[in-house]
Amino acid sequence: MTRMLALFPLLLLSGCSDKHYWLFDPKGPIASAELHYMILDVLVMLVVIIPVTALTIWVLWRYRAAAQARHEPGWAHSNVLEFVVWGVPLVIVAILGYYSYVGIHAVNPYGPEVLAKKSVVETTRQGIAPLEVDVISTDWQWLFVYPKLHIASANELVVPTHVPVHFRLTSTTVTNNFFIPQLVGQIYAMPGMRTKQAMIADHTGEYHGLAATLSGPGFSWMDFKVKALNEQQFGQWVAGVKGAKAQLTYAAFDKFAQPTVNTSGKSVYFANVQPGLFKHVIQEVKAGKVYPTPYAFTENMQAPEFTERTN
Amino acid sequence: MLVNLQGPWDPIFGRLGLILQYQYNNPVIFFAFELSLVGGAIALFWLTCAGKWRTLWSDWLTTVDHKKIGVMYIIVGLVMLFRGFFDAVMIRTQQAMAVGASSPGFMGAAHGYLPPYHLDQVFTAHGMIMILLAVTPILVGIMNIVVPLQIGARDMAYPYLNALGLWLTVSAAALVMISLFVGDFSHAGWVGLIPLTELPYSPGVGVDYWIWSIQIGSVGTTLGAVNLIATIIKMRAPGMTWGRVPVFSWTTLATNIIALTSFPVLGVTLALLTFDRYLGTHFFTASLGGDLMMYTNLFWIWGHPEVYFVVLPAFGMISEIVPTFSQKTLFGYVTMVVASMAIAAVSWSVWLHHFFTMGAGPNVNAYFSIATMLVGIPTGVKVFNWLFTMYRGRLRFDTPMLWAIGTIFLLISGGMTGMMLAVPAINYIVHNSVFVIAHFHNMFLLVAYAAFAGVTFWFPKVFGFKLDERLGKRFFWSFTLGSIMVFIPMYILGFMGMTRRLDYISHPAWYPLILAELVGVGFYAVSVFFFLAQVVVSIRNRHDLRVGADAWGTSRSLEWGTHSPVPFYNFAVTPMVHARDEWAWRRENKLDSLKPDHYVDIHMPKNTMVPLILGMLSLVLGFALIWRIWWLAGLSFLAIIVAIVVRSFEKDTGYIIPAAEVAAMEQDYLDRAREVESAGEKVGGGAVGGGVPAASRAPWNKLKGD
């Protein structure tokens, strides 16, 4: 059984190409650090897992009844072994505990030490201020507001490469979870509250953003695109969005935030975002604003009532 | 009404009007409804034709016998396990059908056949059922059966309370089943993701079904915990000092201390949520001073100890089974006891690892990370000790031992992935992915494996015959293939970034592995068949499969020192305990006769129908509260109070079996034992009896004794 356990992953892995293993293919320093600690943890654990598994199989084989091996029915205590059985896990836990402590500070969403590392700072564009992005999750879309640029983009996050991106996150309704597997780990976006996250994208390209916590019936369609562009392309994109027709006032946001299932994966761009939208959303939620889910909203997704509320 | 309800409300029928307004016409549900109608009709018909109503009433429904209550717990657990499996089949088939934008949709779904509202209910029910109504009742059932026997007690400390715990669990299970046909179930995950469970986001009755079934069931579990703790502390046979209590009873004590201290937290948390939903308070809302993360904290302050609540008895069972089939004493008894208690103690300080991604500061996360890893120390110790128990043993691979070995391997792999999840830097990329799902299924499978081991191991003790070994092994291997094929692809999908609870799969790269999981589900379905076949064949061949007191021939603890099947009074005379492995000690010293010098009167508790009535009344109360039928809720609550008060004036709750009658019953058991012995079966712990071995499938017949 154990032999099969060991072989199965290899069989399954061989059939697919590497690019789909997002966790093994990081594109930024945070995700790289997270993968680093995963490999470290697994290696330390294997130091004990492999011998124990091997020993178990050996014991099962060696002391099967038919083998008529040495039988000591009364042997039930040994001070040396007691010391070993408590000592080995203790040492492993001590090592992993140390790495866990270092690791959490390295990727701490509120100020990752990784981003302050010399090697990372060197590749970051010199003298550039971090890009600020306010993330607001609704039922069931993501809105990315660029407060300094007065633009916003729904269901599509566009960032420049080699620039630190600082996120502030909140939600209009229920708890959501902001996750870009190849760039940065998960952080909750919670209604009436503000959390933070930070990252840098090292390579241009398109990545997948996921809503990682169940937030109701429209949740499966809450993926968002992440585009990392070079400096020039990012400038062009910003200029393009600034020319968009849609405006985002508080009233327009209220309409945007009504329960909507993004079944077609549509991105929407807004120019002229009313200043202070992020703070406004938090204050409204704290004061009792809700966006109720209509009863049995997605019980029948082919009904006209559903089509009206989808993108 | 203090809150704004969507949909109608009526003073007589409450919210039942919702059923008329919204359509619940999914053919899947209709099929389930038909099935239960037909099943129920067949059961009623059989009961009436066979004239079993009286037996059912006096032997089962009103019983306070801890063994029968345990058996009923296990039956409820197995039925709910099947229901939970069916939910799993639906989740797996939906995900396999709803891949990519071009996948077709049926029955109101855009893709696949389950629209989001329906799938969300299915996986919520799956999680809640598997944890609280399948695994927990099976474990409580085994504890109920085994613990009083292991410590040499007549029954539980509070037989009436024991029956009440059972019927409350049954009524919780019944509520969940009713939600299948009347209304809907929660769509907010089994943990009740907040504020998704608040009224604006869950306007139906689903969350209320979830709340009240957990509330009623957890009262039952708490009462059971009181009972088991009192039993172990106060009812041990003379000579059974703490140093001689079998490890399974020790883990039962540890686990019920957890239950007694953690289930009330769950009760209070859900009560506060109930106030939010019924009275319009703001304990856990995002607005008006509510604190939604407080719910998450409180829930996991119960939720994490609950994990150890199910894992510790599993460890206990393995610690009984491995020595029996290794023909050897358990290695490191004291260490095992200390490790169990240590796990119970640490279980209280790890809850935050369920939401490292909440955004707590790095030092808070580091604290909970290291606390979580500490659990790995006593757990690792247990694996080593089982290993050293088998070392220099003489291993026999009967079905219970196969399940036990499976448990050990699952613990090794689950421990590995658990140590990964305990590190926040790793947790950030696998939290809420299917990697977590694979990990905790790995751990719950371990409990399920141990439970199957326990059921197979103690089955002959309760019923007097063994389960068929050949079919049992097929059940084991098909179940194991299912586990491998479902959960290894799931671990890998976690590395591909797949998140949990998806109704629609937008990344076709995940498709091949999702199909592989479907193959695993197929193996599980085959294993269900083998399990049922095993039960049916064993019952049919029960005469050939008969066993004496020491069913496995090398058993070690006190429960094997009375007849199989166990008389309702457990032991003819209260046993005197001399050693840690009492039965092994008696066997080795040739003191294994089951005939005492003389018989004495036995005091036994009387049957009572009050627990059954209380269970049914709490079912009515739960239903009325869910549908907000206030008059019915008031009436049933009043009836519950009246029933409790009336029962408390009942003084004549026990009766005496005269010694002569005991002697006559014992003679029957001894005759049966002699009959089994002359057929070649072992009785007691002595040498194999004369005559021709009737059951050649009993492998220990071929082995030499120690």
Side-chain angles (χ1 to χ4, degrees):
Chain A
M1 189 185 106
T2 324
R3 225 173 304 164
M4 286 167 82
L5 276 171
L7 282 176
F8 258 105
L10 294 177
L11 284 175
L12 294 165
L13 281 169
S14 60
C16 316
S17 73
D18 289 345
K19 66 175 181 170
H20 295 303
Y21 289 84
W22 293 340
L23 300 199
F24 300 147
D25 187 20
K27 299 290 186 190
I30 303 272
S32 299
E34 282 160 346
L35 177 63
H36 167 78
Y37 285 103
M38 184 188 284
I39 293 168
L40 208 65
D41 182 284
V42 170
L43 288 179
V44 173
M45 282 301 287
L46 284 181
V47 170
V48 64
I49 295 282
I50 290 176
V52 168
T53 310
L55 195 63
T56 311
I57 294 167
W58 178 76
V59 164
L60 287 176
W61 177 252
R62 182 76 189 83
Y63 294 99
R64 69 196 195 280
Q68 294 288 319
R70 186 168 162 194
H71 184 207
E72 281 187 46
W75 183 73
H77 182 75
S78 150
N79 281 331
V80 178
L81 285 176
E82 292 280 346
F83 184 76
V84 171
V85 299
W86 285 93
V88 170
L90 191 71
V91 171
I92 296 284
V93 165
I95 297 171
L96 289 180
Y98 168 75
Y99 283 121
S100 173
Y101 181 84
V102 176
I104 180 64
H105 284 85
V107 300
N108 170 24
Y110 290 86
E113 287 173 4
V114 165
L115 296 195
K117 256 187 168 171
K118 201 166 163 244
S119 55
V120 174
V121 171
E122 274 166 11
T123 53
T124 307
R125 281 187 208 148
Q126 295 302 313
I128 195 162
L131 175 72
E132 284 177 23
V133 180
D134 291 340
V135 182
I136 305 170
S137 71
T138 68
D139 277 353
W140 292 274
Q141 299 188 79
W142 292 97
L143 183 70
F144 303 102
V145 181
Y146 299 73
K148 295 270 172 67
L149 304 170
H150 304 293
I151 57 169
S153 147
N155 307 320
E156 183 178 304
L157 171 66
V158 182
V159 294
T161 49
H162 304 300
V163 172
V165 185
H166 288 182
F167 298 102
R168 296 191 298 173
L169 305 98
T170 192
S171 166
T172 53
T173 51
V174 301
T175 302
N176 249 302
N177 195 344
F178 177 78
F179 183 29
I180 311 170
Q182 287 175 285
L183 290 175
V184 67
Q186 304 169 20
I187 186 82
Y188 285 171
M190 296 176 285
M193 287 186 250
R194 189 263 300 131
T195 45
K196 286 183 178 180
Q197 184 62 286
M199 69 169 201
I200 295 178
D202 279 343
H203 306 277
T204 55
E206 277 208 39
Y207 310 112
H208 298 278
L210 304 170
T213 287
L214 174 71
S215 55
F219 142 81
S220 300
W221 289 266
M222 237 182 123
D223 284 11
F224 55 95
K225 288 180 221 100
V226 182
K227 284 182 186 158
L229 306 176
N230 65 32
E231 197 175 1
Q232 189 198 354
Q233 289 168 326
F234 184 72
Q236 284 169 356
W237 179 79
V238 170
V241 174
K242 279 187 171 166
K245 265 187 288 179
Q247 315 269 311
L248 198 62
T249 57
Y250 293 170
F253 175 81
D254 202 50
K255 200 154 165 266
F256 170 83
Q258 294 303 319
T260 308
V261 183
N262 191 20
T263 41
S264 56
K266 200 165 83 177
S267 309
V268 194
Y269 307 111
F270 300 95
N272 288 327
V273 178
Q274 194 168 348
L277 179 64
F278 186 78
K279 203 174 166 193
H280 169 78
V281 168
I282 292 183
Q283 279 172 347
E284 279 222 311
V285 169
K286 282 176 91 168
K289 170 101 181 159
V290 288
Y291 300 85
T293 309
Y295 187 39
F297 179 53
T298 48
E299 188 65 41
N300 186 350
M301 300 176 81
Q302 277 137 11
E305 294 86 342
F306 179 79
T307 328
E308 276 167 28
R309 286 174 177 273
T310 52
N311 265 340
Chain B
M1 285 281 142
L2 294 156
V3 289
N4 291 323
L5 291 173
Q6 287 188 34
W9 181 84
D10 176 282
I12 296 172
F13 295 107
R15 298 185 83 188
L16 279 168
L18 281 174
I19 301 172
L20 304 175
Q21 197 177 3
Y22 299 102
Q23 294 301 307
Y24 294 97
N25 53 5
N26 196 307
V28 180
I29 292 175
F30 190 69
F31 172 72
F33 186 58
E34 299 259 285
L35 205 68
S36 44
L37 277 189
V38 172
I42 291 173
L44 291 181
F45 185 73
W46 180 78
L47 280 170
T48 312
C49 282
K52 296 281 186 190
W53 279 104
R54 181 173 295 277
T55 322
L56 181 72
W57 178 260
S58 54
D59 281 4
W60 295 94
L61 297 183
T62 59
T63 188
V64 291
D65 181 344
H66 71 99
K67 298 169 291 296
K68 284 179 177 167
I69 288 175
V71 169
M72 285 189 279
Y73 261 120
I74 293 172
I75 290 172
V76 171
L78 288 173
V79 169
M80 295 313 279
L81 193 68
F82 182 70
R83 157 83 205 271
F85 168 69
F86 207 83
D87 288 336
V89 172
M90 289 171 79
I91 300 168
R92 293 267 59 86
T93 45
Q94 164 67 19
Q95 286 199 340
M97 284 168 76
V99 182
S102 58
S103 58
F106 312 94
M107 296 192 261
H111 304 277
Y113 69 108
L114 295 173
Y117 240 55
H118 196 163
L119 181 90
D120 295 355
Q121 289 174 42
V122 171
F123 64 63
T124 303
H126 170 79
M128 186 246 175
I129 285 173
M130 283 304 200
I131 294 167
L132 287 166
L133 295 171
V135 167
T136 303
I138 292 175
L139 291 177
V140 171
I142 295 175
M143 291 191 269
N144 240 299
I145 293 170
V146 175
V147 167
L149 290 169
Q150 267 196 339
I151 62 173
R154 280 261 173 267
D155 203 309
M156 297 281 263
Y158 311 112
Y160 161 70
L161 209 59
N162 199 16
L164 182 55
L166 168 74
W167 292 111
L168 288 176
T169 307
V170 169
S171 105
L175 263 188
V176 177
M177 295 310 275
I178 289 171
S179 80
L180 198 55
F181 312 123
V182 188
D184 53 8
F185 198 65
S186 170
H187 67 121
W190 82 271
V191 300
L193 291 166
I194 199 85
L196 195 53
T197 43
E198 292 284 355
L199 208 49
Y201 311 112
S202 297
V205 292
V207 172
D208 303 323
Y209 264 114
W210 172 81
I211 288 177
W212 290 108
S213 49
I214 293 185
Q215 282 290 34
I216 293 170
S218 71
V219 172
T221 312
T222 315
L223 295 180
V226 171
N227 209 347
L228 279 159
I229 292 173
T231 307
I232 296 171
I233 293 178
K234 299 299 286 183
M235 308 272 289
R236 280 169 293 135
M240 179 155 292
T241 55
W242 284 111
R244 289 176 183 165
V245 172
V247 173
F248 179 66
S249 293
W250 266 113
T251 55
T252 300
L253 181 65
T255 212
N256 283 294
I257 291 173
I258 293 177
L260 184 60
T261 44
S262 70
F263 271 90
V265 179
L266 177 68
V268 170
T269 314
L270 290 182
L272 295 179
L273 179 63
T274 312
F275 292 155
D276 279 7
R277 285 182 63 86
Y278 283 72
L279 304 176
T281 56
H282 288 273
F283 287 105
F284 303 132
T285 59
S287 59
L288 304 171
D291 185 349
L292 55 99
M293 285 318 293
M294 184 57 84
Y295 171 88
T296 315
N297 273 286
L298 287 171
F299 183 88
W300 285 113
I301 285 176
W302 162 77
H304 200 84
E306 160 72 17
V307 173
Y308 297 107
F309 171 77
V310 293
V311 147
L312 279 174
F315 289 170
M317 288 189 269
I318 303 310
S319 304
E320 300 290 333
I321 291 165
V322 167
T324 300
F325 294 99
S326 303
Q327 310 191 38
K328 199 162 159 279
T329 319
L330 179 72
F331 183 87
Y333 170 88
V334 176
T335 296
M336 284 306 226
V337 172
V338 171
S340 304
M341 287 298 171
I343 291 173
V346 180
S347 77
W348 279 99
S349 48
V350 301
W351 77 88
L352 196 132
H353 72 217
H354 291 271
F355 44 97
F356 280 141
T357 53
M358 167 183 73
N363 290 331
V364 172
N365 280 355
Y367 166 81
F368 281 98
S369 161
I370 292 165
T372 304
M373 290 181 178
L374 288 181
V375 179
I377 299 175
T379 314
V381 167
K382 282 182 178 260
V383 174
F384 279 119
N385 280 4
W386 293 324
L387 202 55
F388 291 128
T389 305
M390 293 191 284
Y391 178 74
R392 291 187 183 162
R394 187 144 288 176
L395 307 183
R396 276 174 12 226
F397 302 106
D398 299 75
T399 324
M401 185 63 167
L402 285 184
W403 288 110
I405 293 167
T407 308
I408 295 174
F409 280 113
L410 283 165
L411 184 56
I412 293 173
S413 56
M416 164 92 199
T417 52
M419 277 298 195
M420 291 166 74
L421 286 161
V423 176
I426 305 170
N427 192 288
Y428 283 163
I429 44 175
V430 285
H431 177 70
N432 268 355
S433 73
V434 290
F435 185 85
V436 175
I437 313 299
H439 165 73
F440 73 66
H441 279 86
N442 190 331
M443 298 314 274
F444 271 98
L445 272 174
L446 172 173
V447 179
Y449 270 61
F452 288 135
V455 168
T456 329
F457 185 58
W458 280 299
F459 186 91
K461 179 72 340 203
V462 178
F463 292 102
F465 61 95
K466 280 195 194 178
L467 284 170
D468 187 89
E469 278 282 315
R470 200 169 50 100
L471 285 164
K473 282 180 176 155
R474 286 182 188 181
F475 171 40
F476 169 80
W477 287 112
S478 49
F479 194 88
T480 301
L481 273 176
S483 306
I484 290 172
M485 282 305 287
V486 171
F487 294 106
I488 288 182
M490 203 180 273
Y491 271 128
I492 298 170
L493 279 169
F495 294 128
M496 299 176 79
M498 181 172 166
T499 49
R500 64 193 290 194
R501 294 170 173 147
L502 289 175
D503 177 59
Y504 162 66
I505 309 294
S506 51
H507 301 283
W510 301 339
Y511 189 43
L513 288 170
I514 290 173
L515 280 184
E517 291 179 288
L518 206 57
V519 175
V521 169
F523 282 117
Y524 273 137
V526 172
S527 81
V528 173
F529 167 78
F530 279 128
F531 172 76
L532 294 175
Q534 184 194 20
V535 173
V536 171
V537 168
S538 308
I539 292 176
R540 216 180 48 203
N541 297 345
R542 61 187 177 278
H543 190 77
D544 292 343
L545 293 167
R546 281 176 315 169
V547 290
D550 186 356
W552 303 100
T554 52
S555 317
R556 308 196 69 83
S557 43
L558 188 56
E559 74 269 29
W560 305 100
T562 183
H563 310 285
S564 306
V566 186
F568 64 93
Y569 45 80
N570 289 0
F571 297 89
V573 293
T574 300
M576 178 76 195
V577 178
H578 311 80
R580 191 171 282 164
D581 287 348
E582 175 67 12
W583 183 247
W585 182 87
R586 289 192 191 190
R587 186 172 55 223
E588 278 149 24
N589 291 291
K590 305 275 178 273
L591 295 168
D592 51 3
S593 163
L594 296 181
K595 199 169 184 307
D597 300 339
H598 65 282
Y599 294 100
V600 289
D601 293 354
I602 294 177
H603 180 235
M604 292 299 292
K606 264 187 191 168
N607 281 7
T608 165
M609 63 168 148
V610 181
L612 179 66
I613 291 173
L614 286 176
M616 295 309 110
L617 283 173
S618 59
L619 177 63
V620 175
L621 174 64
F623 187 82
L625 286 167
I626 288 160
W627 291 95
R628 304 186 192 220
I629 310 170
W630 304 126
W631 63 269
L632 185 59
L635 215 61
S636 46
F637 184 69
L638 203 69
I640 288 173
I641 300 292
V642 169
I644 292 172
V645 170
V646 168
R647 160 75 194 188
S648 67
F649 283 97
E650 180 75 55
K651 289 204 180 66
D652 183 24
T653 58
Y655 66 101
I656 301 286
I657 318 170
E661 215 173 295
V662 176
M665 286 188 283
E666 279 292 300
Q667 197 50 52
D668 288 348
Y669 280 107
L670 291 168
D671 289 345
R672 177 190 179 278
R674 200 166 304 119
E675 208 181 298
V676 177
E677 188 177 13
S678 64
E681 303 277 343
K682 264 189 194 175
V683 177
V688 178
V692 186
S696 57
R697 63 168 70 84
W700 41 257
N701 268 336
K702 297 170 195 146
L703 294 168
K704 288 185 223 160
D706 289 351

